[in-house]
Structures are given as structure tokens and as C-alpha cells.
């Protein structure tokens, strides 16, 4: 496959196996924060293979308020009612978008009910709890997918195609970055992303540094063998976390390095670039769904700014999840894949604290 062919097929759903009328997969959405209300539920409504039928929140009142405002949602449940098994005949799968440290309890209940799970990233607040999640899914023989939007983003998939076809030569380095002004977005320092008991070991690496980290793994189709890191927190609001800003390097087999930076206290910005022995490809912006992705490819003496139709990343993610469930396939971003990220995250914080290279 040459460069022109890869670019001509830019927006192809190369992952879809199920027919468009194979669904719908009925989804219970758990956690009704702004992301679920403004991104997930509209994406499901626009999808080919899914529909939302159940809404779950800590309180029954909020769940019913959301349910009453969305066509097709049949039940609004409290978390307690969900765990007790209410309305299990009304949904086939569960989307978990609660604070990180509460994912496990919902996944375990879903597994007990034999329901497939799409769980937001990072999959939990610690490696130990993530391991329990994978064990629960394996024991119940259910699909567990971690919500990596980049896995179905056409820009990312086409760059991976370029690498697979050798059009960039051998990969040498990856550069990735993501930052956002968290306290402008949510002007309250008393929020779960800054609470280690709910978020996990940090704020920037766990929440947004995970994007360049995981996308580097996806593009290279390889896992790091060691990490190095530096972190800093000087703002008062970030006193309880080590990483108001962070820089970390992932060392892949064969001497390929991914250098990544992340900050919850900076202007909104994101990009990822792969440099090979014969070319390079850059996605900029890369990770925010509200920003149209732009791709530049340089290979064989030609530089191309790729123009393509943008897709709703959340819609693609839900349809890919449904496609896997309906056809009995394992998703690429399964529980074991997410668990590797959790181990990398903990190693990054360990490396930052020790000031030393940490091997995986």
C-alpha cells in the first residue's frame, strides 16, 4: 500500500464487522457528569449499533432527571439499585464514567449480571484494583473494553497504517503532549480529579498524560520496557498531587523512545508525532474531541497536509464496542491492555519520585 492509498481510505471504518442493523446494543450509562450528558449520551444516540436505555447516578433523583430528558431511556436508577440488580432486563452492556476509584464496584456488578462493560480510562485508581477488575471480567466471561477514543480515531489509525506499510521507515521516536486549564474548566479545587483517593496517584499523567502514553503504544504496537519521569506541583490547588505538570519518557524495545508531557494547568493543547527513518507523521491537534484533527505526513520527499471528514470520536468508540460485543470479538483496548497502562502510570510516578529509570 502506498501513501496515496492510505490517505484515500482515511475515514474508512476498517474495524466494523457487524451489519449496521445488527444492534442495537442497549447501554446503561453509569455516572451522569458533564462528560456522559454532553458527550456520551448524544454519541450513543447518533450511533449505528447502540442505544441508551438506563441511566445510573449516585442519587435516584438525578438519574430520573436525566432519564426524563432523553428519549429512549426507560429507567433512572440510583447506584444502590443498580448494584441490587434493578432493571437488568433493560440493558445489555454498561458504560462506566464515574471517578476512577469507583470503577471497580460497577464493573464487578456488571460482571455478576453478565453484562459487557465499556469503562472509562484510566481503568481504576491503582494496579491492584485494576487487576481485580480484569479478574471479575474474565471470571464472568464478559467483554471488558477500556474507553480509548484514539483507537477508533481515523487520524490515528491511518498513521498506524503508514507505520505498518513502512512508509515512514523504522520508527525512531514519538513526541506527544496534552494540556488543559482544569481550574478554568471546573473552577473548584475541591474536585475528584485533584483528590488522590478518587483519582489515583496523580492528576496530569493519570487524566490526560494517558492520551499520548496509550496512543504511542497503539501506534507502535509495542509496550514500554522502562520509563523515566519528572513531575512538579507548585500551585496551591495542586498541593495534594505530584503532577501539576509532568514529563516522562517511555522506552520501547529496539531503542524507540516516546517523550511525553502533560499539564492540568496550561492552555489547551495536544499533539502526537511519529518520526521514522524515512518520514514523519504529526497529528495536531490530536486529543480533544472539540478540535478538528489535522494530519501532516512527510515521506519520500513529499509533505502532505491531509484533509478529511471529521468523525465523532465517542460515536465511533461506542459503535466499535458494540461491534465487538455483537460479533464476539475481543476489543484491542481490553482489560489486559488497560492494566498495562495502569502499571506504566504507577511506574511513571515512581520514576518521578525516585529520579531514576524504572524498568517494567
Amino acid at each position: 500500500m502506498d501513501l496515496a492509498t492510505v490517505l484515500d481510505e482515511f475515514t474508512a471504518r476498517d474495524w466494523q464487522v457487524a451489519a449496521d442493523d445488527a444492534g442495537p446494543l442497549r447501554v446503561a450509562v453509569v455516572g451522569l457528569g458533564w462528560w456522559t450528558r454532553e458527550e456520551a449520551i448524544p454519541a450513543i444516540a447518533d450511533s449505528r449499533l447502540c442505544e441508551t436505555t438506563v441511566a445510573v447516578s449516585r442519587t435516584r433523583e438525578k438519574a430520573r432527571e436525566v432519564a426524563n430528558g432523553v428519549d429512549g431511556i426507560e429507567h433512572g436508577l440510583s447506584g444502590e439499585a443498580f448494584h441490587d440488580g434493578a432493571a437488568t432486563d433493560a440493558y445489555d452492556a454498561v458504560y462506566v464514567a464515574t471517578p476512577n476509584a469507583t470503577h471497580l464496584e460497577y464493573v464487578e456488578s456488571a460482571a455478576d449480571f453478565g453484562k459487557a462493560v465499556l469503562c472509562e480510562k484510566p481503568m481504576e485508581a491503582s494496579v491492584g484494583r485494576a487487576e481485580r477488575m480484569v479478574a471479575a471480567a474474565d471470571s464472568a466471561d464478559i467483554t471488558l473494553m477500556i474507553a480509548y477514543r484514539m483507537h477508533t480515531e481515523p487520524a490515528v489509525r491511518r498513521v498506524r497504517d503508514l507505520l505498518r506499510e513502512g512508509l515512514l521507515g523504522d520508527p525512531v521516536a514519538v513526541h506527544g503532549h496534552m494540556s488543559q486549564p482544569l481550574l478554568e474548566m471546573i473552577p473548584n479545587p475541591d474536585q475528584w480529579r485533584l483528590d488522590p483517593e478518587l483519582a489515583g496517584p496523580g492528576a496530569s499523567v493519570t487524566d490526560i498524560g494517558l492520551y499520548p502514553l496509550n496512543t504511542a503504544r497503539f501506534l507502535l504496537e509495542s509496550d514500554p520496557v522502562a520509563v523515566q519521569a519528572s513531575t512538579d506541583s507548585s500551585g496551591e490547588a495542586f498541593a495534594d498531587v505530584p503532577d501539576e505538570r509532568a514529563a516522562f519518557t517511555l522506552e520501547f524495545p529496539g531503542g524507540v523512545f516516546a517523550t511525553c508531557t502533560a499539564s492540568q494547568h496550561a492552555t489547551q493543547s495536544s499533539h502526537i508525532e511519529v518520526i521514522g527513518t524515512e518520514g514523519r507523521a504529526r497529528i495536531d491537534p490530536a486529543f480533544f474531541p472539540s478540535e478538528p484533527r489535522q494530519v501532516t505526513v512527510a515521506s519520500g520527499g513529499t509533505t502532505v497536509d491531509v484533509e478529511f471528514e471529521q468523525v465523532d470520536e465517542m460515536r465511533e468508540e461506542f459503535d466499535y464496542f458494540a461491534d465487538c460485543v455483537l460479533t464476539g470479538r475481543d476489543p484491542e483496548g481490553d482489560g489486559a491492555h488497560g492494566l498495562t497502562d495502569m502499571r506504566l502510570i504507577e511506574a511513571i510516578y515512581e520514576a518521578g519520585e525516585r529520579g531514576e529509570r524504572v524498568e517494567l
Side-chain angles (χ1 to χ4, degrees), residues 24 67 88 102 122 134 163 166 168 170 172 212 238 243 256 278 336:
T88 53
T102 63
V134 172
L163 285 164
L168 304 181
D170 295 328
V172 173
F238 295 88
D243 59 334
V256 180
E278 298 177 20

Side-chain angles (χ1 to χ4, degrees), residues 23-24 27 57 105 137 148 164 275 301 319 349:
V27 179
S57 187
E105 60 198 71
Y148 295 110
R164 284 177 169 178
I275 298 95
D319 270 346
Y349 285 111

Side-chain angles (χ1 to χ4, degrees), residues 298-312:
S299 177
T302 301
T303 298
V304 179
D305 292 321
V306 185
E307 295 183 1
F308 59 98
E309 181 180 355
Q310 303 292 320
V311 302
D312 182 331

Side-chain angles (χ1 to χ4, degrees), residues 177-183 194 201-206 208-209 228-248 260-267 348-349 352-353:
H177 172 79
M178 189 173 187
S179 60
Q180 64 185 11
L182 179 64
L183 293 174
L194 299 177
S204 292
V205 176
T206 52
I208 55 179
Q228 300 181 66
S230 296
T231 62
D232 178 75
S233 283
S234 53
E236 182 178 354
F238 295 88
D240 293 333
V241 297
D243 59 334
E244 178 182 343
R245 59 187 66 85
F248 55 93
C260 307
T261 51
S263 178
Q264 294 278 24
H265 191 192
T267 192
I348 287 167
Y349 285 111
E353 182 178 4

Side-chain angles (χ1 to χ4, degrees), residues 300-341:
T302 301
T303 298
V304 179
D305 292 321
V306 185
E307 295 183 1
F308 59 98
E309 181 180 355
Q310 303 292 320
V311 302
D312 182 331
E313 291 178 346
M314 290 293 287
R315 181 194 66 207
E316 298 297 289
E317 177 182 81
F318 276 106
D319 270 346
Y320 172 67
F321 170 63
D323 190 79
C324 290
V325 174
L326 293 169
T327 61
R329 294 182 297 125
D330 292 330
E332 189 161 359
D334 61 8
H337 184 90
L339 183 55
T340 295
D341 275 348

